[in-house]
Every structure is written in C-alpha cells, then in structure tokens.
Amino acid sequence: MPELPEVEITRLSFADRIEGGRVTGVRVGKPLRWPLGCDAASLLAQTVGAARRRGKYLWLPLQHGGLLLHLGMSGSIAYHPEPALPPGGAHDHFDLQTTRGSLRLTDPRRFGAVVWSPAPDEGPAAKLLAGLGLEPFDTAFTGDYLHAALRRRRVAVKQALLAGDIVVGAGNIYACEALFRAGIDPRTRSDRLSRPRCERLAQAVREVLAQALSLGGSTLRDFRDAHGMAGRFQLQAGVYGREGQACGRCAGPVRRIVQGQRSTFFCAACQRR
DNA sequence: CATAGCTCCTGACCGC
DNA sequence: TGCGGTCAGGAGCTAT
C-alpha cells in the first residue's frame, strides 16, 4: 500500500512533466473517499504548478487553489504524456488532462481522494493536513523530539508510529520494519522507551523510508508508480508479511500479532521491550 | 486530551 | 468451477 516512499515516487514521476500544463479536461469516475468539492469544469484552463508532498498527501497547485490527492491503500497515479487519455477502466476514478500530459488516478478500493481546496492551508486541505506530525526527513525529527512525543502516550509504540501525528509517512509495513531495525518490541508502551532507544527508532524510521525510496517503493499489495513500474522493497522486508519464516538476523520465527486491528510482524528475540 | 472502535471498499484467498 | 466468508488496511470520525 502506498506509504511515504510510494507517494514520493509517484510525485517525482509526474511533477516535472506536468508542471506548466494547462488543464484541458477533467473526468470524475466513481466516488472516492470525499467529493471533489468543486465543479470539474471550473478547473479547465488553469495552469498546473509544482506538485508537493505532505505525509502521504500530494498537493497539486492550480492557479486558483489546487487538488489534494491521497492514494488510500490501493490507489496509484499514472502519468500519460500523450495528449489523449485511453478510455477509463472500472477503477479509474479521476483524470486530469493537460497540455503537458495527463494524470489518471486508479483506485480499486476507493479509499483514496481528490479534493479541491483554495489553498493547502485553507478549506478542506487545511483540515486534512492539520495535525500531521513531522516529516521523517525534517531535521527537527530527532530522537529527542520522538522521546518527548512518545512520553505523552501510553499506546504501544507501533500504534504511536502509525497514528501519523508524531511523524508521518510510516504505514503498517514501514512501521514494522523500522521497529525491527531498531530492535524494539512493537508492543512496548510508548512512554517506556528510553531516550537512546528513541534515537535509534528515529534513525530507523528515516533509514527504512530512505531505503524504500531509493529502491523505488514497495510492491506489497498493488503499488505501481506513474510508469507502471513495480518497486522492489519487498525483497528487503525483514519481518513484514513473513509470519513463521526465519528472522534474517537470528533465524528465530517471525511472529504476527494484531494491534489496533492491524497486523504487526516482529521477531520476539531481536526486538525487546 | 488520549485512546478504542468503526467505517469506507473490493481483490485475494480459503474451505467446501 | 462456483460460492460464501474472511481479511487487509489509511486515516478520519465518533464515542468514551
């Protein structure tokens, strides 16, 4: 499912090419998580700006406002350089055609979203982006920061990472992988993590996301970038999706538990409370 | 305020 | 082969 690396790779795959294009057509398919929030025709003739990312959201600026995009868990965005877009399939729910190519959002499960907003810090976008935690590659995301934030929580550290209001970008896969890398038991109460362990964890989060980014994103589930290329992160997964298999570090069995209705994979020997 | 549970949706998978 | 049931999960929302 698209987490920060996948979303960033998606952004990089089309941002430069569509920037400066003028909107020539908009097609809205089945409803996504929220309504578009504007008349599709009102987007016509506007010039597209430089796409940005915040957490797992993308912001596509237009002359008057912009579009906030989210891939949910099964969404992907394809960039088509040709002027005309092929007919939309059953899961193609949003097209944006421009003079510099088109974007097509495909999302079988429709947890994704395309929402118009007058600005990223106004209207619906502001509401959705408010409360997001630090970007993992922000220099402010340090062990000290993580320690201070986790001290106020009693939930398991895995759930605190997933919540996205401390640090954004790590979804279920990368939260599991970061905790494995940091040697921390995902069940550990957030407020029981020492400062040094928070330092390790912050570093692990940065590293696992950076590595996934450099490898082109995860193919777990159905991620494809705008060129339809599959990522290769799954080849590196230490614990995610490996229940019962041997941990690569100690050869012990990888365990699967459920936390907050989500699967967590970890090695009980390598990851300590 | 922190937390738990619910919810949206459909492809994949499983047992019969 | 077909069919019903179950699961997966991002993240906002509601209730506690």
Side-chain angles (χ1 to χ4, degrees):
Chain A
M1 61 297 310
E3 301 183 26
L4 184 147
E6 292 77 19
V7 175
E8 179 63 7
I9 285 157
T10 297
R11 184 186 73 84
L12 292 170
S13 68
F14 70 74
D16 285 352
R17 300 197 254 188
I18 203 159
E19 183 177 357
R22 239 176 7 95
V23 178
T24 55
V26 178
R27 185 185 66 85
V28 177
K30 283 191 188 174
L32 293 166
R33 183 163 189 182
W34 298 292
L36 179 58
C38 74
D39 183 355
S42 70
L43 305 177
L44 294 173
Q46 296 194 47
T47 300
V48 176
R52 299 200 296 271
R53 181 190 56 76
R54 176 74 175 98
K56 298 172 191 171
Y57 286 96
L58 291 176
W59 172 253
L60 189 67
L62 297 172
Q63 282 171 294
H64 308 293
L67 296 174
L68 192 69
L69 309 163
H70 198 288
L71 299 179
M73 62 161 292
S74 60
S76 62
I77 293 174
Y79 171 80
H80 295 263
E82 316 83 43
L85 222 39
H91 302 309
D92 299 329
H93 304 305
F94 184 79
D95 293 342
L96 187 78
Q97 291 184 267
T98 85
T99 54
R100 293 199 181 166
S102 305
L103 297 180
R104 165 166 284 175
L105 175 74
T106 302
D107 186 2
R109 283 169 229 184
R110 293 194 276 130
F111 283 11
V114 181
V115 178
W116 181 86
S117 198
D121 56 354
E122 290 173 41
K127 198 173 174 189
L128 293 168
L129 299 176
L132 290 188
L134 288 180
E135 287 289 328
F137 302 125
D138 187 327
T139 54
F141 179 59
T142 62
D144 277 339
Y145 164 84
L146 187 57
H147 182 59
L150 290 178
R151 274 178 65 182
R152 291 179 226 117
R153 310 287 176 95
R154 305 172 66 144
V155 286
V157 61
K158 156 82 175 336
Q159 290 172 266
L161 281 183
L162 269 188
D165 53 353
I166 295 175
V167 60
V168 295
N172 207 34
I173 298 174
Y174 299 121
C176 289
E177 294 300 320
L179 287 162
F180 173 64
R181 184 179 290 241
I184 295 169
D185 188 316
R187 299 166 296 184
T188 310
R189 260 177 58 158
S190 298
D191 60 357
R192 299 269 172 83
L193 273 179
S194 68
R195 213 214 61 96
R197 301 192 87 199
C198 288
E199 188 67 58
R200 272 193 85 180
L201 182 54
Q203 189 175 330
V205 168
R206 283 192 299 267
E207 286 175 356
V208 76
L209 293 176
Q211 184 185 10
L213 198 45
S214 72
L215 289 172
S218 167
T219 69
L220 295 172
R221 299 293 179 271
D222 26 30
F223 175 71
R224 292 288 186 280
D225 71 10
H227 315 294
M229 296 287 291
R232 289 167 294 160
F233 182 79
Q234 66 176 359
L235 302 177
Q236 315 287 325
V239 287
Y240 188 86
R242 303 192 57 223
E243 180 181 17
Q245 298 177 36
C247 162
R249 190 186 293 161
C250 77
V254 172
R255 290 183 52 192
R256 185 184 84 93
I257 58 174
V258 174
Q259 296 180 287
Q261 346 247 63
R262 296 284 179 288
S263 285
T264 298
F265 297 88
F266 72 109
C267 170
C270 294
Q271 296 174 254
R272 302 307 183 85
R273 300 225 197 203

